[in-house]
Amino acid sequence: MRKVLGLTTFIGTGVGLLIFSAIRGESFVYTILLLVVAVLFFIGLPDHYKELLK
């Protein structure tokens, strides 16, 4: 249960930071870099979940 709460907190924090950064985006290059980070974040989530199940 504690690990699930930790993963949920990790996801919430990551999504919150991405949304805050997207709202504050100042340039096109910054937005593209943010999208790359967001894609990598969401690609990595299944790996974290699989590790949690072990």
Side-chain angles (χ1 to χ4, degrees):
M1 183 68 177
R2 185 173 161 193
K3 289 183 179 182
V4 173
L5 181 62
L7 180 64
T8 305
T9 305
F10 173 73
I11 293 170
T13 303
V15 170
L17 287 172
L18 288 171
I19 290 171
F20 179 75
S21 298
I23 290 171
R24 206 169 160 236
E26 299 172 359
S27 69
F28 182 70
V29 175
Y30 182 80
T31 304
I32 296 298
L33 289 173
L34 181 63
L35 286 174
V36 169
V37 170
V39 167
L40 293 174
F41 176 77
F42 288 112
I43 287 173
L45 284 179
D47 290 334
H48 288 291
Y49 183 69
K50 289 176 188 174
E51 287 294 320
L52 177 73
L53 295 178
K54 289 183 180 181

